[in-house]
């Protein structure tokens, strides 16, 4: 008798669970289906986006490589056109790389003014990573050592000369060279001495700074 009771109870429980499932499905079946569809669509969307992302990145990489090859083949105008197109339509980091490379090509063509402006614009672009902005400022400053004034060089890189900035050594060198060229030997000596006194200055930068300090000292100009 006990076994029959147990069997009857199990059947009742199963019927109750079945009724509960039917009730849940009746009430929430549409929501469950909608959630399932969203999950599937989300998965498809992510896979599709990843595929598009990989394709766009690969396409931009190929375009950048093609532009570099054109530059190597001594076709600067064609290379610049390719880089300008990549700057407008490229994906990921390639537009910024295209801007940097285009500015370098302009400098190599002897278009110092255009190159300085291009590098300076990158240095002021808040949408560009800080390290790249700083590198662009330095490139503009070194061009301005020959093509500009001390004040122009200072406007580009004096902000990079703080002890916390990893590019301070090159920034100080550019300022020292600009001051030396302008005939301000006292200011040049100050910048070069900061390089020599900084234990973290690269050896080659320290060597050049010390050489110029020796030249200034020997000339008796400061």
């Amino acid at each position: 008798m006990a076994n029959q009771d147990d069997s009857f109870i199990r059947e009742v429980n199963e019927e109750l669970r079945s009724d509960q499932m039917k009730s849940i499905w009746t009430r929430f079946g549409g929501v469950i289906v909608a959630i399932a569809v969203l999950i599937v669509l989300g998965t498809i969307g992510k896979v599709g986006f990843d595929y598009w992302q990989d394709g766009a990145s690969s396409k931009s990489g190929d375009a950048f490589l093609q532009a570099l090859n054109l530059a190597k083949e001594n076709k600067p105008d064609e290379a610049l056109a390719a880089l300008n197109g990549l700057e407008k339509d490229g994906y990921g980091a390639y537009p910024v790389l295209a801007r940097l490379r285009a500015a370098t090509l302009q400098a190599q063509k002897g278009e110092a003014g255009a190159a300085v402006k291009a590098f300076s614009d990158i240095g002021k672009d808040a949408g560009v990573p800080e390290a790249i902005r700083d590198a662009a400022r330095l490139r503009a400053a070194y061009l301005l050592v020959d093509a500009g004034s001390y004040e122009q060089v200072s406007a580009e890189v004096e902000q990079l000369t703080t002890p916390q900035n990893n590019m301070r050594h090159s920034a100080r060198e550019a300022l020292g060279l600009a001051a030396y060229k302008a005939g301000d030997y006292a200011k040049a000596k100050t910048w070069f001495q900061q390089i020599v006194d900084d234990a973290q200055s690269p050896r080659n930068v320290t060597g050049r700074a010390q050489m110029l300090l020796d030249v200034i000292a020997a000339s008796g100009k400061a």
Side-chain angles (χ1 to χ4, degrees):
M1 184 68 177
N3 290 336
Q4 291 179 346
D5 290 342
D6 291 342
S7 177
F8 176 74
I9 291 172
R10 282 197 300 271
E11 290 177 7
V12 171
N13 286 337
E14 288 173 3
E15 285 295 326
L16 286 172
R17 283 197 294 270
S18 177
D19 289 341
Q20 287 172 344
M21 288 302 297
K22 289 178 182 177
S23 177
I24 290 171
W25 183 257
T26 300
R27 294 176 59 192
F28 303 110
V31 176
I32 293 170
V33 170
I35 292 172
V37 170
L38 287 174
I39 291 172
V40 171
L41 289 177
T43 301
I44 293 173
K46 184 180 186 307
V47 171
F49 177 76
D50 290 344
Y51 178 80
W52 173 84
Q53 190 176 42
D54 290 343
S57 180
S58 178
K59 183 179 178 181
S60 294
D62 291 342
F64 186 68
L65 182 60
Q66 183 182 13
L68 294 182
N69 288 334
L70 288 170
K72 289 179 182 178
E73 294 168 4
N74 198 27
K75 299 176 181 177
D77 292 334
E78 293 179 37
L80 280 171
L83 291 167
N84 288 336
L86 186 57
E87 179 185 339
K88 295 176 183 177
D89 303 322
Y91 179 80
Y94 286 105
V96 175
L97 293 176
R99 292 173 68 185
L100 288 168
R101 184 57 183 155
T104 299
L105 276 177
Q106 288 174 316
Q108 291 172 350
K109 289 178 64 180
E111 300 172 358
V116 167
K117 184 180 185 307
F119 282 122
S120 184
D121 287 345
I122 296 170
K124 296 172 184 174
D125 189 341
V128 174
E130 184 176 6
I132 295 178
R133 294 203 308 269
D134 289 351
R137 290 189 187 104
L138 273 175
R139 191 72 178 90
Y142 275 110
L143 288 171
L144 285 167
V145 169
D146 292 325
S149 65
Y150 175 85
E151 288 72 23
Q152 288 175 301
V153 174
S154 177
E156 292 292 342
V157 294
E158 188 153 356
Q159 61 186 300
L160 307 182
T161 61
T162 60
Q164 297 79 21
N165 196 295
N166 291 329
M167 296 187 182
R168 64 187 181 277
H169 320 291
S170 296
R172 291 166 179 170
E173 182 179 52
L175 286 162
L177 291 170
Y180 185 87
K181 181 190 172 191
D184 191 340
Y185 302 111
K187 189 172 289 182
K189 181 179 178 181
T190 297
W191 288 119
F192 292 138
Q193 193 64 54
Q194 285 188 33
I195 294 172
V196 172
D197 292 342
D198 190 333
Q200 295 181 335
S201 294
R203 185 177 300 177
N204 59 331
V205 180
T206 300
R208 290 195 297 267
Q210 186 59 63
M211 180 184 69
L212 286 164
L213 282 173
D214 293 341
V215 170
I216 293 172
S219 67
K221 294 177 180 177

